[in-house]
Amino acid sequence: MCGRFGFYELKYFLDLLRQLELPFEENQDYPQTNRYNIPPETDILTLQANHGAYKLTSARWGLIPYWSKELPKIRPINARSESLVSKPYYRHLVGRNHCLIPASGFYEWERIDGKKKQPWYIHRADGLPMAFAGLWDTWKSKHTEEPAITTCTIITTVANEQIAPLHDRMPVILESENWKRWLEADPRNLSKMLVPADNGILEMYQVSTLVNNARYQSGNCIEQVE
């Protein structure tokens, strides 16, 4: 799964989008500061697509489907790749509202002696920012005049050999050559992309248990500890 991540490479990510010739409309509502410990229910940066111009904008992490009559108590931060078509929460978005969610790395926790939770930081071995496959939607309450909310979820798949000792799931990490394919949302290509990252693409190391507190946001979140 993916329940916490960091993103502190905005300029690098934007440069990559331009190098890959992925033109986008920029909405300056997105977070532009370095963030090292991003929790659910937070506004995060997304590159959204819906068979038109790509839009770089923020979305709240925790999906609310447009058809929900009330603000749901369950707002999934992760969507299992195997059930995207079968689950009502997601199936209306498959082939339509796809997005990239940029990240510098993400955290996973190892249980030690059944009690202690040791966080690990996982990032690309080549030093590049990663992009998670995601889905987005927009919801508006029918009972208030509050503005519409755009939300998103990160798609997960089975863990590869590196991540499996920590958790049986991992986010779908798209290689840059698949970014446009994912955004174009061609149903014929989806199953080929929603797979675990190849072994060796990622590196991981232990970090301070201060990361366990979602309010802790210092840059030393990603520093390796013994």
Side-chain angles (χ1 to χ4, degrees):
M1 63 177 293
C2 181
R4 210 85 64 74
F5 70 97
F7 183 54
Y8 42 85
E9 299 169 303
L10 177 60
K11 183 180 183 301
Y12 205 165
F13 179 69
L14 297 182
D15 288 343
L16 275 175
L17 294 180
R18 297 182 180 107
Q19 291 172 23
L20 295 168
E21 298 182 350
L22 295 176
F24 55 88
E25 297 177 0
E26 192 166 3
N27 184 331
Q28 292 290 338
D29 70 348
Y30 59 79
Q32 299 186 49
T33 57
N34 293 339
R35 298 195 293 170
Y36 297 92
N37 193 14
I38 302 172
E41 297 296 330
T42 299
D43 288 343
I44 60 175
L45 178 65
T46 58
L47 183 67
Q48 300 173 3
N50 184 3
H51 300 298
Y54 305 145
K55 186 176 181 182
L56 191 71
T57 187
S58 66
R60 191 166 302 166
W61 185 18
L63 188 74
I64 306 172
Y66 80 91
W67 44 258
S68 183
K69 295 181 180 179
E70 305 287 345
L71 185 66
K73 293 182 179 179
I74 299 176
R75 299 187 282 274
I77 62 171
N78 293 152
R80 296 173 70 95
S81 60
E82 302 91 333
S83 56
L84 293 182
V85 176
S86 61
K87 290 291 183 68
Y89 251 74
Y90 316 120
R91 63 189 178 201
H92 67 289
L93 301 174
V94 177
R96 199 162 57 88
N97 286 22
H98 289 202
C99 65
L100 299 180
I101 298 172
S104 301
F106 65 99
Y107 300 94
E108 196 53 77
W109 279 262
E110 176 187 17
R111 285 201 173 274
I112 301 175
D113 298 327
K115 295 181 179 180
K116 183 180 177 182
K117 294 174 65 176
Q118 172 61 52
W120 289 72
Y121 184 63
I122 303 159
H123 63 101
R124 289 189 63 99
D126 57 14
L128 295 175
M130 60 181 72
F132 301 143
L135 299 171
W136 66 275
D137 209 349
T138 300
W139 176 82
K140 189 177 189 316
S141 172
K142 295 180 174 61
H143 309 296
T144 71
E145 294 304 315
E146 293 292 322
I149 304 172
T150 298
T151 62
C152 66
T153 188
I154 295 171
I155 299 174
T156 67
T157 185
V158 294
N160 64 15
E161 291 180 5
Q162 286 179 288
I163 306 301
L166 302 180
H167 201 282
D168 61 354
R169 306 290 297 179
M170 68 182 296
V172 172
I173 300 169
L174 297 169
E175 292 301 303
S176 58
E177 61 265 24
N178 286 327
W179 290 6
K180 185 174 183 180
R181 291 191 185 98
W182 175 250
L183 292 171
E184 288 178 344
D186 185 340
R188 296 170 296 181
N189 295 326
L190 301 189
S191 61
K192 301 174 185 177
M193 291 183 282
L194 300 180
V195 296
D198 290 339
N199 292 311
I201 286 178
L202 302 175
E203 289 183 346
M204 50 193 282
Y205 55 81
Q206 294 183 357
V207 293
S208 170
T209 54
L210 290 170
V211 170
N212 297 354
N213 182 350
R215 293 188 295 273
Y216 190 76
Q217 296 291 329
S218 173
N220 66 4
C221 285
I222 62 171
E223 291 181 2
Q224 185 172 0
V225 298
E226 296 298 330

